[in-house]
Structures are given as structure tokens and as C-alpha cells.
Amino acid sequence: MTDQSTGKAIEFDRASVRFGQFQAVQPTDLRIEPGEFFSILGPSGCGKTTLLRLLSGFLDPTAGDVRIGGQSMVGIDPSIRPTALIFQNLALFPLMPIWENVAFGLEMRGWSRARRRDRAYELLATVALSDHAEKMPAQLSGGQKQRVAIARALAVEPSVLLLDEPLSALDLKLRQHMRAELKQIQARTGITFVYITHDQGEALTMSDRVAVMNRGRIMQVGSPDDIYDRPANAFVATFVGETNALAGKLASTAEGLALMETPLGGFRAANPKGLRAGDEAILFLRPEKLRLLAPGEATENHIPARVLRRDMEGAWSTLVVEAGGQELKLHLAHDGREAPPSGEIALGFSATEAMILPKGEMSDD
Amino acid sequence: MTKLFRAFGVPLSTVILMFSSIWILGLIAAPQLIMIEQSLWRMERPEGAAEISVQIDGLYNQLDVMALDRSTAEAGTDATKRAADLAALDAKEAAINAEIAALEESESTPVKVYTLANFGQMGAAHLAIFAKTIAASLAVSAIALVVCYPIAYAVAKLETPRTAAVIMLALVIPYAINELLRIFAWQMILNQNGPANLLLGLVGLDPVPFLESGTGVFVAMVYAYILFMVFPLYNVLETLDGNQVEAARDLGASTWNIHRRVVIPHARPGIAVGCIMTFMLSAGSYAVPYIMTRGTAAPWFTQLIYNRFFEATNWNVGAAYALSLLAVCTVFIFGMMRLLKVSLKDIAK
Ligand SMILES: Nc1ncnc2c1ncn2[C@@H]1O[C@H](COP(=O)(O)OP(=O)(O)OP(=O)(O)O)[C@@H](O)[C@H]1O
Ligand SMILES: [Mg+2]
């Protein structure tokens, strides 16, 4: 593995994919920088794998172009693209010992047996698997197999590493460990990582930038902070993290803020999209931004509510309340001393911490 | 055994054991043992047959001598003495005749002798046919493999499951038709005046004696047994994870290398089963060579076996021939398993 940056840039240029009548990927423009850790996040069936297959070469765009390192990839066979793919089920070769798995790409490039064997052992050492080189894949644990798959992909020294939900088969502890390991490998090799996941925690913790996809369309591209704090639309706001959504209509606007009428009353909140009075809109309010008001405390936005239940989460607890016929959630810091609130309560939030976005499709999970 | 009894209870276990023994005895052991026994003996003239025939000759000589005595006695004048001499001679002659009959009886009743000689009975001509049959059966398996592998791969990996089911069904349907009917149809197709030669004629080629040259047997055999190659291959290729093929390609493998390093190693048990089946069926086929050649081309070894049994009526040599074929087939099975590094367990799957 080299230490200088070997990653290449990726560009989608109005690339789209149709399967018969079904538009799996809408025309997409996207640029991924060399050496970037880029995640594609989205619900099942939204077209993530399809997008990845455009890069690996198992699929060509129905229209548009895909470029890697400035070079068009359309019509170029997967076997000669500067990419390596890590499959969700890893797809190790079960009948070859581990070292041969790792050396497979080198074998295909005509390396001598002795040379590729040495190289495989070197690579296995970097993923702490030297002792297992002569074993068969079936004899390894899930995490070990995962590392073999990584070593096998890195052996061909790709400029772009494509990972299709590589950790989804692992348990939580191992997953967290492997996240760190992947991140480290990426930093060390400088390879461009395109990482597919439907686990938002994974996308937010690992990535330089994230694209959120829905129904074959990229809904937003941005840093994890952008995605979480400044969602571009209703889908991203609801798909990433938890949120309370209040539908309503804008009453008036002023200096980046707006007053919105909802069934729970009128609220003032940020209006980043510059919506105008009379527009249908949704107000999004993260549970951690909603506060429990002390009796008599005054705020910008005030919601009378009734406690339904409290879900203990560990470091915090989620209070589920009912207000104006709608359920709302808020996070309470958990200190274990105060008695949890019950009965009739009052909630509040500051205008800058809630966001008004145009009405649109929302994620249902 | 205890496990069996615990799992199924005593009455059911007894029944299971009984059926298993019947299966093993009746289907596996008995036919082989009977054939082996048959091949190991032959009927021979009893020991000491030479002395007996010398003895018999001696007795006949005695009879001749007695005929002389009789004529001397008949010439006698004393009536009483003549009658007494003749009576004595009659008695003696009857005794000798009885002895001859007994000796001849024991000389001509052959005895059963156990020997390996039956296996040494194959002359050069038969040995050549034996070798040709084995070689041709190997070739049939090889052709079937070469033809079936791409088909099975394409159906298993490239087609959607629905299309695959339809194709497999289309492959099976011809096999629902009686084997004889299909082979006779091929006989007609490849006939001197059949459609195959008609087509060749249209292209301006001379008719080919398919049947007489033995090509017909070959073609019909590939046709008759190809299914036994397609199915094992299809079944095993079905279970190959498509991602492995893609992974290999992604890592830079050419189509040939994908097959050499990933697909064929995975398909080994299916290849072994398919080759073993087609080889055994071809080597043991009687109807196909019989119908296709009808004596116009060199016989198949099975026809020789048939002849030993029913025309030369030497069942012992017939059994020895049949066992030789079985032995080669067994060697082939184990050779195949060795070559493809598959165990009996893989094949059973
Ligand atoms: N070869 C194909 N032919 C027809 N439709 C396809 C094909 N491949 C994918 N699709 C469809 O395209 C859509 C997107 O599929 P894709 O595999 O990209 O989803 P995904 O985002 O990776 O989902 P998941 O998270 O479940 O893996 C799905 O609705 C799928 O049914
Ligand atoms: Mg997918």
C-alpha cells in the first residue's frame, strides 16, 4: 500500500439507468473527489447498488456518462477498471485458501506464484491475519472474512474502492470496530471510497460527504453535519435522524424566519428555503431541540402537551407526548435523580432550532 | 443402531432395518455375487477321464474276444456243453456291457470346476472391441460434457429462473418419449436415404454412411445420454453464487480464468456425476448400438456379452465378460473422483 494519495475522482454526468419501464436511477450529476470517503445512504431499493454497479462496470448507464479520473468508463469491462468491489456477502472464493483469495487479482495479472504469495502475506499482515493465510474461508469468523475481502480488493491497488453494505452482516461491536479499521485504511491508502449503506449512523460517522438517495434520485449531497443539521428537503429531514414533523401553512415571513400555522398553534421557525406566506409547508423539530418548560417559563414557541410514556435509551430518555392530537418526541437528559415528568406539561423550542421546509415526500421509518 | 431405535422406536426400526437389508442384499449384493460366481467356474470332464476311456476300450476288446469265444462255442458238438458255454458267455457279456455303460456314464458327466480361465477367454478381436467400447464411451462422455457445460451454465447463471425452468422442461420432454422410439428415429435420420444425407445432398456433398461407419452409434448415444450430463451440471451450477463470478471479473479475471478458477472447481461434483453416468450408460448400452448398426458396423462390447450368453451359450464366459466391463466402470468411477478431487459424499449430494 502506498502512502501518497492514489484515489481518483468520480463524475456522474446526467447518468441514468432504466430496467425496461422502470427508472432505477434518475439522471444524476455527482462529483466525488479523489481520496474522499463518500457514502451513499438510502432506503432499500432506492438504487444504491445500481449506482455502484455503474462504477464497477457491471452495468452501463442507459443515458449519460460515468467518468473515473476524467476518463469515460462507458463500455469498459469491470476487469480492467481501476475499481475494486467489496460485496455485501463478501463473495470470497470458498475453494481457495485465504492467501490465494487475496492473491487472486495478482494471479490474474500474471504474477508468479512466489511473488503473489509474498504479497498476499504482506497484505494479510496489514489486516492482522497472517496466521490464517493457509486456512479456508469457511474456517474464519465473520470479521476475519471481512478483512480478507478488504485485503483481496486492496491487492489490485485500485484507485476507487466500492463497498456495498460491507458491514451489514456483522454484529454491532464488530461493526463499530470494522468502521474504524476501514476509516484507517482509507486514510492510509488515499483511495477514493464509495461506501453504500442504509445505516445512517455508519454514513454519518465515517464519511467526508454523504449522498442521500430516494427512488433513484439523489436528494442531497453534503457533509454529515449538513445532512443532519441542514436537510434540503422533507425526505432527508425525516430519513436522517429522528424528527417531529408538523404540517401547516406559512402565515408570514421575515428575515429568514417564518410564522407557520399548524394544528398545534402558530410557530416561528427558520425558513431556509425562502418559502412565502400561503405556501404549504412542514415544520421539522428534532427531539433534542424540544425543551421541557419550567412552570411559567416563557419562550418563542410554546406547546401544551400531555405525557404518554417515557422510553429509556441509556444516556437519555425519550418522552412521548400528545399535543393537538399528534404524537411528539423529545429527548431528556437522563440524570437518574429527578422524577420523570408526567401529566400536563409545557414544551418550547427556539425559532432558530426548528426548520420549515416545503411539503414533500417523507421517509416512513 | 441404538440411535435408530431411539429415534424411531422398535417396530419401525425393525422395519427400516429389514428393508435396508433387503435393499443391500437384493439390489446390490445378490446380482453381483451371482455374476461373480457364474464367471468363476466351468464344466469339465471329470478327473481320470483318460483312464476310464482306456478301461472302456479294454472292455470293448474283451467283448470282441468273447465274440470269437462264442463262435468257437457254437461250433461245439456236445449240445449240453454248448448250451452251458453259451449261457456263461451271455452272462459275462451282460456284465461287461453293464460295466461299459457305467463307465461311459461317469466319463461323459462333466463336473463343475472353479477356475479363473473364463477371464482369459477374450481373444485379440474381442479385446479390441472391448477397448473400442471403452474409448468410445469416454468420447461420448467428453462430448456430452463439452456440449452440456455451456448450456447448463447459461441456463443456470444467465437466464432468469422462469426462463431457466422453461428451458429445462424443454430439455426433459424428449426423454419422456420411449428410448427405442427415439433411437429408431435417429436410425432413420442417419440412414443412407435419411434426412441427414438428404441435407448433405442439397449442399452438394456425397452421402455419408453414418450407420455403417459407427458414427451413428456415437451420435445416438450422445443424444440418448446427454440429459444425464445436463442435470448434474445444472444442479451444481445453480448453487454457484453469482457474486463470485462478478468478484473474479472485478479482480481482473478473463472469462476463461473465471471458469478455470471459480466455476469449474465449484462444478466438480456435477462434472464427476455427469461423466460417470454417461460413461456407464454408454459402455453398458445394448439397444443403441444394436439398433443403429444392425450388424453393419463393428459390435459394441455389450453385444459380445449378449452373444456369449445366448448364442455361444457359454454363460460362464459371458459372466466373465460382463464383470470385466463392470471392473472398468468401477475403475473409471474412482479415477474420475480422484481426478476431480470429489468424495463419495460430494457425489451423493
Ligand atoms: N437487473 C435488474 N432488472 C430489473 N430491475 C432491477 C434490476 N436490478 C435492480 N433492479 C431494481 O432497481 C431498484 C434499485 O435496486 P438496487 O439494487 O440498486 O437497490 P438498493 O438501493 O441497492 O437496495 P438494497 O438496499 O435493498 O440493496 C430496485 O427496485 C430493483 O428491483
Ligand atoms: Mg443493494
Side-chain angles (χ1 to χ4, degrees), chain A residues 40 55 65 73 78 87 89 122 133 152 173 183 189 193 199 204 218 225 228-229 234 264 270 308-310 320 335 345:
Chain A
I40 299 174
L55 293 175
D65 196 9
M73 286 289 128
F87 290 81
N89 71 350
E122 248 173 74
R152 183 176 73 173
K173 266 267 153 44
K183 194 73 190 133
T189 57
F193 273 42
D199 177 334
L204 296 179
I218 291 185
D225 291 291
Y228 190 82
D229 293 331
L264 276 61
L308 293 178
R309 64 170 198 277
R310 179 176 148 267
V320 183
D335 59 12
I345 53 170

Side-chain angles (χ1 to χ4, degrees), chain A residues 53 77 85 89 107 109, chain B residues 241 246 249-251 261:
Chain A
R53 289 174 77 79
D77 195 80
L85 183 54
N89 71 350
E107 183 184 339
R109 280 160 181 72
Chain B
D241 174 14
E246 289 198 347
R249 180 134 164 249
D250 186 62
L251 291 167
R261 291 291 273 138

Side-chain angles (χ1 to χ4, degrees), chain A residues 43-50 52 88 164-165 196 198:
Chain A
S44 184
C46 70
K48 306 182 292 292
T49 299
T50 307
L52 202 71
Q88 178 167 1
D164 193 350
E165 309 200 24
I196 285 190
H198 60 239

